[in-house]
Amino acid sequence: MKILVPIKRVVDFNVKIHVKSDGSGIDLANVKMSINPFDEIAVEEAIRLKESGKASEIIIVTIGPEKAQEQIRSAMAMGADRGILVKTDAPIDLGGVEPLAVAKTLKALVEKEKPDLVIMGKQSIDDDSSQTGQMLAALLGWAQGTFASKLEINDGKIHVTREIDGGLETLELASPAIITTDLRLNEPRYAKLPDIMKAKKKQLDVIESSELGVDYTPRLEIITVNEPPVRKGGIKVDNVDALIDKLKNEAKVI
Amino acid sequence: MSILILAEHDNKTIKSATLNTIGAASQIGGDIHVLVAGANCDAVAQEAAQIAGVTKVIKADAASLEHPIAENIAPILVDLASNYSHILAPATTFGKNILPRAAALLDTQQISDIIAVESADTFKRPVYAGNAIATVKSSDAIKLITVRGTTFDAAATSGGSASVEDYSAPETTGLTTFVKAELSVSERPELTAAKIVVSGGRGVGSEENFAIIEKLADKLGAAIGASRAAVDAGYVPNDYQVGQTGKIVAPDLYIAIGISGAIQHLAGMKGSKTIVAINKDEDAPIFAIADYGLVADLFDAVPELTDKL
Ligand SMILES: Cc1cc2nc3c(=O)[nH]c(=O)nc-3n(C[C@H](O)[C@H](O)[C@H](O)COP(=O)(O)OP(=O)(O)OC[C@H]3O[C@@H](n4cnc5c(N)ncnc54)[C@H](O)[C@@H]3O)c2cc1C
C-alpha cells in the first residue's frame, strides 16, 4: 500500500503571531516555521502503517515556498520515503493558494502517484479552514474519514473512528480513501539525529506549481486582517467568598 | 437572493447550531430554505417549518440518510445549488465534514467559520487561532459558508409557517457505511449552548478527581468542558474539548480550573461574557484574560465554592 501524506509549512504553534500594521496579513518574517501539527500526526500514522507491514511507501507532498523543503526533510527524518515540493511564491496562509486550489493540486499528484490512501491534517493552524481533505475526497470521488482518532486497516477494509461533537463515530470506507487526522490519533515521534542525516539523502522532487495546470487565482479577496478586540484582564480576588460576591453582585451571572 | 441552510439534527430534533446559522442567514437577507436530510425525519422537517424566517423546508427522507455521511449528503446540496446564492451550514463537526465536499464539487472556495456578515459577499472569520480576524470577499457565484454559532443570535423556534417539500434523494455512493456511534449521554446542558461552563484542565490530575468539577457544574446547572491536556490524559471524553480545534463556547460564565490558558484553549472560550480562573500559579496566562482570578489550590477552592453556592 502506497500512502500520500500532504503536509503544510505553518507558523509554529508556540509562536505569538503579529498582524501587519497595514492590515494585509500576518508578519511571517523571522518567525519559526514547522510542520502543521495535525500533518505531523498524519506522517506518524503513515509510518506506523509502514512499520506494521501494511504500507510500502510514504510520499510527502507540500505546496509552498522553496523553504518548505525543510518541512519535507523533517517528515522524511521521521520515516517517510520521499518528498515532492510543488513550488509557489504565492502566500499559502491567507490571500494566496486556497484550500480548493490545494485540493486540485493534490488531485493532480494523486493521479500521477496512484496512492491507496491519503492521510492529512484535519485543519492547518494558520487559516483554520478545515476543508482540504474533504475537497480532495470530493474531486477524486473517494470516501472520506475526517477528524480521525483511530484508523484500522485489515484485509483492505478501512475502519475510521471520528471525533464528532456528540462523541465518537466509526465508519467503514471503501478504498482508496482520504483520512484527516485529529489530535488523539497518535503522538508523533521525534526524529533521531542519524535519521535527520539520512533524510538529507532521500529523494525530494521539486515541481513548479505552473506545471500542474491548476488555476491558482484566489476566489477570496482579503479585504483586511485585523487584531481581534483585546480582552482586558480583570482582578484577582482573595478568596472564595470574594469570588462569590463578585459573581453575584458585580457580574450578576449566578 | 435565496439561502439554503443545511440543518443539523438527529432525526428527532434540530440541533441548536442550526438556529444560529439561520440567524446568520437572516443578516445576509433573502428567502431562507432549510434542507432536512435524514431518515424518518418528518418531525424535524415540521420543526424546521416553524422556525421564524424560514419559507421552505426541503425534506430528503431516505434510509440511506439516517447518518449524516458526507458522501451521501453533498450530492443533494450540489443538485439543489443552482437555486441559491448562498448555502450555509453550522461550523460543527457535522457542517465541517459535509460542506467542503459540496464546495469542491461546485468548484467553490468555501468560507469557513464566519463570525460576522459585512454584506452578501463579504464576511469576517477568525484565523490563526483567533489571533487575527480576516475580512474576506468572495467572487464565487454561489457562496458556501460555515457559521460559528456563538456569534449569531438563534432564530426563534416559532413564528414560521414554511411549506415542506419532498425531495427524493439519489442512490447512495456506497463509498462509506456507518458502523457505530459512541455518543456521550449527559443530563447537563449542551456545551456550546450552555449559559455556564465549568472546565477542567491538566491540573485536575485524574479522571476520578474530575468529580470535583462535576459537582460544581451540577450546583450551577452548567455544562462541563476541558482543555486538550485533560482530554488527552483521558480524564474526560473528546467531545468536552474547548479550543481552536475543539468546541467554541461563549457562555455568560466560564470557569477555568487548573487550565494554564494556552492560545489554543483561549481561542475556544475568550468570547465568554465573564471568565473566572482558578489556578495555583499566579503567573498562569489564563489570568491575563480572566475577569476574576483566584490563586488557589483547586482541591481546596473548588469544593469550598461548591459548598458555599
Ligand atoms: C495543533 C494543536 C491544537 C490544540 N488545540 C487545543 C484545543 O482545542 N484546546 C485546548 O485546550 N488545547 C489545545 N491545544 C493544546 C494547548 O497548546 C495546551 O497544551 C493545553 O491547552 C494545555 O492544557 P492545560 O491548560 O490543561 O494544561 P497545562 O498547560 O499543563 O496547565 C495546567 C495548569 O493547571 C495548574 N494546576 C496544576 N495543579 C493545580 C492545582 N492543584 N490547583 C490549581 N491549579 C493547578 C497549573 O498551574 C497549570 O497552569 C492544542 C495544541 C496544538 C499543538
Side-chain angles (χ1 to χ4, degrees):
Chain A
M1 185 171 68
K2 196 162 154 179
I3 305 180
L4 190 78
V5 183
I7 66 170
K8 186 175 184 184
R9 174 182 166 92
V10 298
V11 168
D12 187 84
F13 81 96
N14 272 317
V15 169
K16 176 145 181 27
I17 56 116
H18 295 283
V19 175
K20 284 188 194 163
S21 53
D22 66 358
S24 64
I26 307 301
D27 189 357
L28 297 178
N30 304 315
V31 166
K32 182 176 178 208
M33 304 296 282
S34 299
I35 303 181
N36 178 47
F38 289 100
D39 308 348
E40 215 168 19
I41 295 170
V43 175
E44 175 67 32
E45 195 65 16
I47 295 169
R48 290 186 189 187
L49 285 167
K50 192 174 173 192
E51 286 171 344
S52 67
K54 288 180 179 149
S56 50
E57 191 186 22
I58 302 166
I59 308 161
I60 303 295
V61 34
T62 195
I63 295 112
E66 188 80 45
K67 280 194 164 164
Q69 293 191 26
E70 296 166 8
Q71 281 66 46
I72 298 182
R73 293 283 174 210
S74 305
M76 293 195 297
M78 287 172 70
D81 296 294
R82 63 184 169 95
I84 302 169
L85 165 66
V86 178
K87 209 174 115 244
T88 174
D89 295 323
I92 54 170
D93 63 337
L94 299 171
V97 182
E98 296 170 341
L100 181 63
V102 173
K104 289 178 180 177
T105 307
L106 295 173
K107 176 176 186 262
L109 292 171
V110 165
E111 282 164 356
K112 207 164 128 208
E113 296 288 346
K114 304 206 166 28
D116 305 286
L117 190 67
V118 176
I119 311 181
M120 55 203 286
K122 78 161 180 179
Q123 105 188 45
S124 62
I125 60 165
D126 48 6
D127 92 324
D128 280 333
S129 278
S130 195
Q131 298 175 6
T132 309
Q134 298 88 310
M135 287 184 156
L136 177 60
L139 297 178
L140 291 166
W142 288 11
Q144 67 187 53
T146 54
F147 325 142
S149 63
K150 194 168 164 201
L151 177 63
E152 286 175 311
I153 304 179
N154 289 310
D155 311 321
K157 275 198 188 139
I158 304 172
H159 276 223
V160 57
T161 301
R162 313 175 50 233
E163 292 199 356
I164 58 170
D165 289 335
L168 297 170
E169 176 189 74
T170 304
L171 301 176
E172 183 176 315
L173 309 181
S175 175
I178 310 283
I179 304 296
T180 77
T181 61
D182 216 318
L183 296 168
R184 255 73 60 183
L185 186 59
N186 61 50
E187 214 176 295
R189 69 194 64 194
Y190 289 101
K192 295 190 200 74
L193 190 62
D195 295 329
I196 295 172
M197 303 312 288
K198 256 192 257 165
K200 291 190 176 151
K201 298 202 188 74
K202 290 186 180 173
Q203 181 185 343
L204 197 171
D205 299 317
V206 180
I207 306 177
E208 293 295 329
S209 58
S210 55
E211 286 171 37
L212 292 168
V214 173
D215 181 2
Y216 287 97
T217 316
R219 309 286 187 84
L220 303 180
E221 182 194 344
I222 304 281
I223 309 284
T224 56
V225 178
N226 295 319
E227 303 262 4
V230 276
R231 188 170 180 122
K232 282 189 223 73
I235 55 159
K236 292 227 172 84
V237 292
D238 291 332
N239 51 44
V240 169
D241 292 325
L243 177 61
I244 294 174
D245 176 61
K246 290 288 183 193
L247 292 178
K248 278 202 173 131
N249 302 318
E250 197 174 82
K252 299 187 166 58
V253 284
I254 57 169
Chain B
M1 258 186 339
S2 290
I3 303 176
L4 181 65
I5 310 287
L6 175 61
E8 179 170 0
H9 62 86
D10 58 5
N11 294 313
K12 294 189 194 82
T13 54
I14 292 237
K15 300 270 177 187
S16 63
T18 309
L19 301 173
N20 304 93
T21 306
I22 295 170
S26 63
Q27 290 192 17
I28 297 170
D31 267 359
I32 299 176
H33 299 177
V34 174
L35 170 64
V36 174
N40 298 319
C41 56
D42 192 55
V44 181
Q46 297 307 332
E47 192 187 348
Q50 306 297 312
I51 298 171
V54 175
T55 54
K56 183 159 102 182
V57 174
I58 301 168
K59 183 178 71 157
D61 199 331
S64 58
L65 296 173
E66 185 181 352
H67 303 286
I69 289 174
E71 292 82 328
N72 299 338
I73 295 178
I76 302 176
L77 292 172
V78 172
D79 185 37
L80 295 170
S82 61
N83 303 324
Y84 297 98
S85 55
H86 300 72
I87 301 178
L88 272 57
T92 54
T93 54
F94 164 86
K96 286 183 195 171
N97 183 45
I98 298 169
L99 209 66
R101 189 164 179 113
L105 295 172
L106 292 164
D107 195 32
T108 294
Q109 177 50 58
Q110 177 183 308
I111 308 158
S112 290
D113 207 16
I114 63 162
I115 56 169
V117 173
E118 300 289 297
S119 71
D121 63 5
T122 305
F123 309 90
K124 283 190 196 289
R125 57 177 303 262
V127 293
Y128 284 92
N131 289 303
I133 307 295
T135 305
V136 300
K137 182 175 176 185
S138 166
S139 59
D140 281 315
I142 305 175
K143 282 127 187 92
L144 272 76
I145 297 170
T146 60
V147 174
R148 179 174 289 201
T150 53
T151 53
F152 293 95
D153 290 336
T157 51
S158 63
S161 56
S163 57
V164 177
E165 204 171 85
D166 280 315
Y167 171 91
S168 50
E171 288 289 300
T172 64
T173 57
L175 288 172
T176 304
T177 40
F178 174 82
V179 178
K180 64 173 178 185
E182 297 145 81
L183 302 180
S184 298
V185 273
S186 167
E187 299 292 301
R188 299 192 184 94
E190 209 250 308
L191 182 51
T192 56
K195 290 215 158 16
I196 303 180
V197 173
V198 180
S199 281
R202 197 194 314 264
V204 178
S206 71
E207 191 181 348
E208 295 72 50
N209 290 348
F210 235 83
I212 300 176
I213 305 292
E214 286 162 13
K215 283 193 189 120
L216 176 59
D218 290 342
K219 195 78 177 251
L220 290 165
I224 297 182
S227 70
R228 174 195 173 177
V231 177
D232 283 3
Y235 304 168
V236 288
N238 63 280
D239 49 295
Y240 284 43
Q241 183 179 313
V242 170
Q244 177 189 16
T245 63
K247 285 184 181 153
I248 308 292
V249 303
D252 292 342
L253 174 61
Y254 187 90
I255 307 183
I257 300 169
I259 292 178
S260 62
I263 53 168
Q264 292 86 3
H265 188 79
L266 303 187
M269 45 65 79
K270 68 180 176 188
S272 307
K273 276 205 197 94
T274 298
I275 297 175
V276 169
I278 301 176
N279 195 304
K280 68 177 179 189
D281 171 11
E282 63 175 331
D283 296 322
I286 189 83
F287 287 126
I289 63 144
D291 299 287
Y292 305 113
L294 177 61
V295 181
D297 191 308
L298 71 90
F299 297 106
D300 301 327
V302 177
E304 185 186 342
L305 179 59
T306 309
D307 276 352
K308 287 183 171 166
L309 280 169

